Amino acid sequence: MLIDFPELPLYIAQFQKRHPIRKKFLMSDIPAEKETPWRMTLAVMFLAQFSAGLGFSFVLPFFPFYFRELGVATEEQVLLWIGWSSVAFGVTMTFSAQFWGILADRYGRKIMVLRSMIAGSIILGAMGFARNPWHLLFLRIMQGAATGTVSASVTLVSSITPSASLGFSMGVMSTSIFLGQAAGQFFGGILAEHFGFRLPCVIASVLLFMGALIVYFGATEIFTPEEKKTDGLKTIRGLLDVKGFKAILLVYFLIYTLSTMIYPILPLYIEKLAGDNARAISLTGIILAVTAILTGVSAMLYGKISDRFGKTRILVISLILTGLVSIPQSFAQTTGVLFFERCLFGLAVGGILPTVNAIVSNIISREKIGSAYGMTSAVTCLGIGMGPMLGSILATMMGLRAPFAVLGVFSFAVAWLVYSVFSKLEQVNR
C-alpha cells in the first residue's frame, strides 16, 4: 500500500546565496556535506516518521471495525461512512496543503513537521473518546486541516540532501513510513481485538508526540527566511509552468486514488475470506503489517537503484509490477492466498513513492520545493479522498473483489503516462 498520510512540505535555503541556481526551476545542489549534516538529520527523521507512522497505523486501518463498534450496522453503511470520512479528510487537506506548503517556504520546514505531529497527537487522542460516527467524521476533517507529517518530513529531508543521494534518501524515508505502518497495523490490530479501539487511539497520540520530540531535539535544517514575502498565486503559476510538473500532479492524483480504493475494502474482504469475525481484526493487522514491511524494504532498494538507473525507469517498472500482482487478488479464495498476493504487492509497490518524490525534487528548484510539495500534497489528498469513496461505490455495486481488478488495470495506464512524459524529460535534465 501506498502511504495514506500525505501532507505538506517545506523549504528555503541559505545555500542559494553561495550557489545560485543557474537556470530557473532547475535542480541545484545544496552546500557541501560538512555544512549540512544531512545524514544525521535523515536518521533523526527516519525515527520520527517511523514513530508517526506507527501512531497513525494503530488506528486508521481499522476504521471499518471502529465505525461498526460505534453503531453502524450493515456492510453498506460501513462502506458509506468510510467513504465520506475519507472524502472529508481528503478535501479538507486539499485546501490546507498548499497553505501549509507556502508557510513552509516562508518560515521553515522543521516547524511544519512539529506542527503536523503535535496536531496529529491531539486529534488521534480525541478519536479515542468518540461516541458516535459523527465524532469520527468531524475529527477526520480536523486531521485533514491540521496534520501532514509525511510530506512535511519528506520535504525537510529533500531540502538538505545532495541531489546525487536523493533517491537513497527518499527510499529511506519511504522505508520509515512503511515500517511504521507495519508495526502499527500489527500491534494495533492485536490491541483492538482484545481491548477495543479506544486504547490504540491513546497510544497513537503518545507516539505522535514522541515523534515531535525527536524532531525538536534532533533534526537540523539550514533555513534563511525570505526577505521579501512571495506572492502565493505567482508561485503556483510559476510551478505550473515548469515542464512536467502538471503531469506529475496528475500522476500523484491517480496513484493515490487507485491505491486508497482498497483501504475501506481490504478489512472487510479479509473478514469475508476468513469466515471468522473474531479473527478478522488481527488477520487484517498481520496482512497489512507484512505487506508494509516488504514495501519498506523494497522502497529502500528501489530508491538506491533509481539513483543509478533513473527514477522514471524504476517508477514505470514498479507500476507495471503493481498492476500484474493486483488483478489476481480479486480472485483469492482464502486468506492464505490473499496473504501471498499482498506480499508480492508490497514488493512491487515499494518503488512508487521514493521515485515519484525524487522526480519532483529533480525538476523543481530548492527554494520552491515547499510550495511544490504543498501542491503535490493537495492533489494527493484529493486522491485520498476520492479513492475510498470510489472503492466503496465499486464494492457496493460490483462486490468486494472489483476494486482490486480496477487497481491493476489502471496501474498499467499510469505506467504508460509516466513513460510518455518523463522518460524524455529525464534525459534532457541529465
Side-chain angles (χ1 to χ4, degrees), residues 59-74:
V59 179
L60 299 183
F62 308 103
F63 259 32
F65 302 125
Y66 198 8
F67 274 114
R68 185 180 294 167
E69 183 178 288
L70 293 175
V72 181
T74 67

Side-chain angles (χ1 to χ4, degrees), residues 11-283:
Y11 185 69
I12 235 180
Q14 184 178 1
F15 77 90
Q16 191 181 8
K17 295 181 180 179
R18 301 172 183 163
H19 304 276
I21 297 172
R22 291 186 289 263
K23 186 177 179 182
K24 188 177 181 180
F25 290 116
L26 226 46
M27 181 73 162
S28 62
D29 217 333
I30 61 175
E33 293 180 22
K34 64 181 181 180
E35 299 177 43
T36 308
W38 68 275
R39 288 190 177 89
M40 178 60 72
T41 296
L42 176 62
V44 168
M45 294 309 299
F46 178 94
L47 292 175
Q49 189 54 56
F50 174 83
S51 183
L54 180 66
F56 278 117
S57 297
F58 253 71
V59 179
L60 299 183
F62 308 103
F63 259 32
F65 302 125
Y66 198 8
F67 274 114
R68 185 180 294 167
E69 183 178 288
L70 293 175
V72 181
T74 67
E75 181 178 288
E76 290 75 15
Q77 289 176 332
V78 169
L79 289 171
L80 185 63
W81 274 103
I82 287 292
W84 279 115
S85 66
S86 298
V87 168
F89 166 80
V91 170
T92 306
M93 185 166 279
T94 297
F95 288 102
S96 66
Q98 187 57 43
F99 169 75
W100 293 122
I102 292 173
L103 287 186
D105 281 338
R106 291 181 179 177
Y107 302 110
R109 293 89 54 185
K110 182 174 178 179
I111 192 172
M112 290 294 110
V113 179
L114 293 171
R115 184 265 316 155
S116 62
M117 289 188 176
I118 293 172
S121 175
I122 295 170
I123 292 168
L124 287 182
M127 287 180 180
F129 299 92
R131 295 294 179 230
N132 59 60
W134 291 102
H135 291 164
L136 280 187
L137 179 62
F138 171 75
L139 289 170
R140 284 289 278 172
I141 294 173
M142 295 302 297
Q143 182 186 353
T147 63
T149 64
V150 171
S151 291
S153 299
V154 165
T155 309
L156 173 56
V157 171
S158 68
S159 69
I160 63 169
T161 302
S163 57
S165 301
L166 267 176
F168 170 72
S169 291
M170 294 300 99
V172 170
M173 290 305 296
S174 297
T175 298
S176 73
I177 294 164
F178 292 126
L179 291 181
Q181 288 180 350
Q185 290 157 355
F186 179 78
F187 293 109
I190 294 175
L191 283 173
E193 190 169 86
H194 290 87
F195 302 102
F197 296 96
R198 302 186 187 281
L199 178 60
C201 290
V202 176
I203 296 176
S205 176
V206 174
L207 289 168
L208 263 294
F209 189 73
M210 286 175 57
L213 291 178
I214 292 171
V215 173
Y216 181 79
F217 289 106
T220 301
E221 69 169 338
I222 295 178
F223 176 76
T224 301
E226 292 176 306
E227 296 179 2
K228 181 180 179 181
K229 303 301 182 183
T230 56
D231 185 332
L233 291 178
K234 184 177 180 180
T235 298
I236 292 173
R237 286 194 296 266
L239 289 170
L240 292 176
D241 287 337
V242 177
K243 189 174 182 180
F245 190 64
K246 292 178 184 176
I248 202 69
L249 292 178
L250 177 60
V251 169
Y252 269 97
F253 173 75
L254 292 174
I255 286 174
Y256 277 89
T257 299
L258 292 171
S259 65
T260 55
M261 281 198 311
I262 307 302
Y263 287 174
I265 307 304
L266 189 59
L268 301 176
Y269 192 35
I270 294 171
E271 183 181 60
K272 179 179 179 180
L273 295 179
D276 182 358
N277 292 351
R279 297 177 54 222
I281 299 176
S282 58
L283 277 174

